[in-house]
Amino acid sequence: MARRKYVVGNWKMNGVTASIADAQAIFAAAGDHAGVDVAICPPFTLIGAMVAAVPGAEVGGQDCHSAVSGAFTGSVAAPMLADAGASLVIVGHSERREGCGESDADVRAKAEAGLGAGLSVILCVGEPCEVRESGRAIDYVLAQIAGSVPDDFDATRLAIAYEPIWAIGTGLVPTVDDVAAMHGAIRGALAARFGGAAEEDMRLLYGGSVNGDNACELLGAGDVDGALVGGASLTAAKFLPIVAAAAKL
């Protein structure tokens, strides 16, 4: 059975209560594309309100702490996300790795925490510009995979999002061949480590300046099962064309 397409919106530090109307519009229209799974990860402050406003929608957190609880001011634990109604969490986004100094070991611990709390996990990897230009992108990303992906998990509950750092929010996009090559390498590494489940059940997403104009081409690349979308996920007008593109595939 083919892996279902998966389109996830990462609202980052954007959105207030009034923004729930955009989420309602997105989820309502996404229902017309039954073959695509759609999720939104708003700021922590909106998770409960979004879950309440759109019952049954897949809503997630943008990060979690590796500990279940404790003296970690300003942090959010995975069980807290689940308690608020979230069903998934993003870990290892480059804005956390780069801006907050998170290591592969940190990301792995967060992924384990999310899975342990019953959440699905989207684990992000991606190379900076200088690594891409040096020709070491695949080796760099596969090292992140080796260090960040837990050893024991349900393959249906862990997705990998490849987001080249130089493409996030810049408008720059790798070639379709480059995306296919990276996703193929990731799939191969996961299959070698975990066997058939990595090929049959694990979804690989692409992220980085995805929009309605390029979504069909990017999502049609080999081993691309969907998209992790940033700025274009904030409104129905920009996000829904990406969902529609996934549905066509």
Side-chain angles (χ1 to χ4, degrees):
M1 182 178 295
R3 297 178 298 271
R4 286 173 59 87
K5 293 295 185 182
Y6 192 25
V7 181
V8 182
N10 175 14
W11 281 14
K12 305 188 180 184
M13 198 173 70
N14 297 287
V16 292
T17 302
S19 306
I20 295 296
D22 288 301
Q24 290 174 309
I26 287 169
F27 284 120
D32 295 333
H33 304 293
V36 181
D37 294 328
V38 175
I40 296 176
C41 295
F44 297 132
T45 54
L46 292 182
I47 291 174
M50 191 174 292
V51 169
V54 194
E58 189 174 3
V59 179
Q62 298 173 16
D63 185 43
C64 69
H65 199 279
S66 59
V68 172
S69 63
F72 304 105
T73 301
S75 296
V76 176
M80 294 175 177
L81 296 178
D83 183 62
S87 56
L88 73 146
V89 63
I90 299 169
V91 300
H93 193 282
S94 65
E95 290 161 6
R96 301 291 309 179
R97 290 181 185 262
E98 298 287 301
C100 301
E102 292 184 4
S103 66
D104 289 337
D106 293 330
V107 174
R108 177 177 176 142
K110 290 185 174 190
E112 291 170 341
L115 293 166
L119 302 172
S120 294
V121 171
I122 298 174
L123 193 156
C124 301
V125 294
E127 81 282 359
C129 183
E130 61 271 18
V131 170
R132 167 60 63 176
E133 291 178 344
S134 71
R136 298 180 293 113
I138 288 179
D139 289 342
Y140 183 96
V141 169
L142 293 188
Q144 288 184 318
I145 294 287
S148 301
V149 175
D151 287 323
D152 185 22
F153 59 88
D154 176 351
T156 65
R157 292 177 49 220
L158 179 66
I160 303 297
Y162 167 58
E163 293 198 310
I165 296 172
W166 50 272
I168 298 174
T170 64
L172 301 174
V173 182
T175 67
V176 174
D177 287 345
D178 284 342
V179 171
M182 182 63 78
H183 279 241
I186 293 171
R187 180 79 67 195
L190 292 169
R193 182 173 166 189
F194 300 110
E199 295 182 292
E200 297 171 10
D201 299 321
M202 286 188 70
R203 293 188 285 194
L204 307 184
L205 313 182
Y206 170 76
S209 296
V210 181
N211 57 52
D213 293 329
N214 62 26
C216 194
E217 187 176 29
L218 289 169
L219 271 61
D223 279 302
V224 177
D225 301 311
L228 180 58
V229 185
S233 70
L234 295 174
T235 65
K238 292 184 177 181
F239 191 50
L240 290 173
I242 300 172
V243 176
K248 291 178 182 178
L249 299 167

